[in-house]
Amino acid sequence: MTASSSGLYNSTRPPEGQRTALTGGAVPVTVYGLGKMGLPLAAVYAQATGNVVGVDIDPDVVRTVNDGECHVAKEPGLPELVAEQVERGALRATTDSVEAAKQAAIHVIIVPTPLTDDREPDLAAFEAVLDSIAAGLTPGDMVVVECTVPPGTSRDLVVPYLESESGLSRSEFGVAFCPERTSSGRALQDITESHPKIVGGVDTEATRAASLIYGEITSNDVIAVSDATTAEAVKLFEGVYRDVNIALANELARIRDDLGIDVTEAIDAANTQPYCNIHAPGPGVGGHCIPWYPYFITSRVSAETPLILTAREVNDSMPAFTADTLRDELANAGRTIEGATVAVLGVTYRPGVAETRATPAAGVIDRLNEHGATVLAVDPMLDDDVVASFGATPVALGDLPSKSLDAVVVVTPHEEFDDIEWADFDDLVVVDGRGTLGDIGHRVYTIGGGPRRSGVSHE
């Protein structure tokens, strides 16, 4: 069956017939991007439709997937699902994006959309995928964008670009946006059941077709919004909400010493009121989502956005605040940070994820180096060369007791750090960026909580 006869956009089949074709493998799907979010999505599509080609520019990723193996670490259930779908012939991978596009009736784009140095959305990889899709686009095809893009991208870029490059008229193919709403470590659950799926097409028919598709992907609700631009804004608004909320928590943490209270205790108590949901403070905000999404909005609007930009400034200031707090705590203990040996625990931006984009650890390490400290870093998720690239000396967790440490900063609380025997260290000063340490027998300053030692606070 060719893509033109299997397409869902403006299909002459009744809806039930379209569903049967989709779930029976008669509607070929190509997923562009097999990264930490793309591979779970491709595997779920394969499970639901039985006919998926995954495209990636990395031949090692393609080879791994075709061998029925999973290159994405610490994603429960994903290795088994990939193996199962490859074994039954429902999932295969290729680097040939044009050929994959020619075979597809549904094109799903989930490639990285980072920021440039000027804080502009970098759509180079996205546009490269559009080139491939245009080369294989067939009447009746659906193009679904899952990766986060600036508002208006589907309407103002995808549609005219594909129309121009494919030779098809605007009425011959559908474009819709369905925001990826998944978290690392729970991707399969999030894709298939945790949250409603949001879909919005550039026209009514695209919205209808996308709703039908995602009705087979998730057991949760499918919420159709007015258009693709609204759907694009949904994901960005979710990220900006979290960024602004975290900035509030971080600003409250910064005034903790003036107030003389445990701010995190006050936050927890305040959150028992149903209209309050203040997030937790910490050493900064990392990853490829929350720190970037505000600029996806501000880069596309002419109006002033002082709240959004101020939140970014507050969160960007937290790594330096964390390192400065350690300097001050060492001074309170009659010691100096210059020449001190400091271990940074955690370089990835969140626990259990081998991802360092926009990690707060980078700013913490930079500031400690500026203060003249000797900086060591431990991260069980990363190779030594990656750790060293941030300006710290990589150290194995088991070797820390031999390093004559003066201080520790907990940036990312990997579960492996739960096994640290703090009694093996002499008179440490510790800054706990995430509030994960209990009574460890050393002087600890928790961001938001303040200083304490062996259960006794130090005001």
Side-chain angles (χ1 to χ4, degrees):
M1 181 175 289
T2 65
S4 59
S5 62
S6 61
L8 298 180
Y9 185 78
N10 285 334
S11 174
T12 58
R13 289 193 187 103
E16 195 54 44
Q18 294 176 47
R19 290 190 185 89
T20 300
L22 177 65
T23 59
V27 184
V29 179
T30 292
V31 176
Y32 303 86
L34 295 176
K36 66 177 184 177
M37 295 303 169
L39 182 59
L41 184 64
V44 169
Y45 258 97
Q47 185 178 41
T49 72
N51 190 358
V52 172
V53 174
V55 176
D56 202 274
I57 61 173
D58 188 338
D60 290 335
V61 167
V62 168
R63 188 179 309 110
T64 298
V65 172
N66 285 332
D67 287 342
E69 298 177 357
C70 176
H71 65 279
V72 179
K74 294 196 174 183
E75 198 60 72
L78 184 59
E80 295 82 1
L81 183 60
V82 169
E84 174 187 307
Q85 298 310 313
V86 171
E87 174 66 23
R88 77 182 189 103
L91 175 63
R92 55 206 181 279
T94 182
T95 57
D96 191 339
S97 55
V98 172
E99 184 58 33
K102 291 177 180 179
Q103 298 174 15
I106 299 174
H107 308 261
V108 183
I109 310 175
I110 185 163
V111 294
T113 49
L115 288 179
T116 67
D117 291 340
D118 296 327
R119 292 179 173 174
E120 286 286 327
D122 183 354
L123 298 177
F126 184 81
E127 291 176 352
V129 171
L130 292 183
D131 283 333
S132 298
I133 293 175
L137 199 65
T138 305
D141 282 7
M142 274 294 300
V143 178
V144 180
V145 180
E146 279 233 7
C147 50
T148 307
V149 293
T153 297
S154 297
R155 177 194 64 208
D156 300 334
L157 172 62
V158 178
V159 171
Y161 195 99
L162 292 179
E163 189 174 25
S164 172
E165 298 300 315
S166 71
L168 299 182
S169 70
R170 166 66 195 82
S171 62
E172 292 182 282
F173 62 93
V175 174
F177 187 84
C178 176
E180 170 264 305
R181 309 178 85 190
T182 58
S183 296
S184 295
R186 48 177 294 153
L188 295 181
Q189 179 182 352
D190 286 347
I191 292 169
T192 61
E193 61 178 296
S194 295
H195 317 296
K197 284 292 183 184
I198 310 298
V199 298
V202 297
D203 55 43
T204 302
E205 173 59 12
T207 300
R208 182 207 64 80
S211 298
L212 184 147
I213 293 167
Y214 280 92
E216 301 304 321
I217 297 299
T218 182
S219 61
N220 208 310
D221 295 334
V222 176
I223 299 175
V225 296
S226 298
D227 50 38
T229 303
T230 303
E232 290 163 348
V234 167
K235 179 62 183 293
L236 297 173
F237 287 4
E238 291 171 355
V240 168
Y241 163 77
R242 294 175 65 191
D243 199 40
V244 172
N245 196 317
I246 294 168
L248 170 62
N250 282 336
E251 188 156 287
L252 294 175
R254 294 175 70 101
I255 63 174
R256 178 265 152 218
D257 290 346
D258 289 340
L259 294 175
I261 65 170
D262 184 334
V263 164
T264 57
E265 180 187 8
I267 288 174
D268 289 343
N271 286 346
T272 61
Q273 208 269 7
Y275 301 111
C276 189
N277 183 31
I278 304 173
H279 291 359
V285 177
H288 62 283
C289 297
I290 298 176
W292 292 358
Y293 291 172
Y295 303 113
F296 280 48
I297 296 174
T298 60
S299 68
R300 296 299 189 266
V301 300
S302 57
E304 296 288 328
T305 55
L307 178 61
I308 292 174
L309 294 177
T310 299
R312 278 283 76 235
E313 291 174 3
V314 170
N315 289 334
D316 283 344
S317 74
M318 290 307 293
F321 172 80
T322 301
D324 290 350
T325 297
L326 179 65
R327 175 201 60 198
D328 296 344
E329 285 300 293
L330 281 167
N332 290 339
R335 295 146 72 181
T336 178
I337 194 169
E338 185 174 3
T341 300
V342 181
V344 172
L345 300 187
V347 177
T348 64
Y349 85 94
R350 57 171 288 191
V353 176
E355 175 62 68
T356 60
R357 278 180 282 190
T359 176
V364 172
I365 292 169
D366 285 346
R367 189 69 154 201
L368 291 173
N369 281 323
E370 289 174 10
H371 287 321
T374 298
V375 186
L376 315 179
V378 181
D379 197 299
M381 299 293 298
L382 301 175
D383 294 335
D384 284 356
D385 58 342
V386 176
V387 174
S389 71
F390 288 94
T393 300
V395 177
L397 182 59
D399 292 339
L400 276 182
S402 66
K403 298 302 179 180
S404 301
L405 297 182
D406 298 292
V408 169
V409 180
V410 179
V411 175
T412 309
H414 293 298
E415 62 182 12
E416 289 85 352
F417 299 153
D418 295 342
D419 297 328
I420 293 176
E421 293 291 343
W422 293 99
D424 292 343
F425 302 92
D426 295 327
D427 197 21
L428 285 180
V429 173
V430 180
V431 170
D432 181 4
R434 301 294 183 181
T436 57
L437 298 179
D439 183 358
I440 62 171
H442 296 278
R443 183 187 183 96
V444 176
Y445 185 103
T446 301
I447 301 295
R452 56 184 166 79
R453 176 169 178 151
S454 299
V456 179
S457 65
H458 294 258
E459 299 296 344

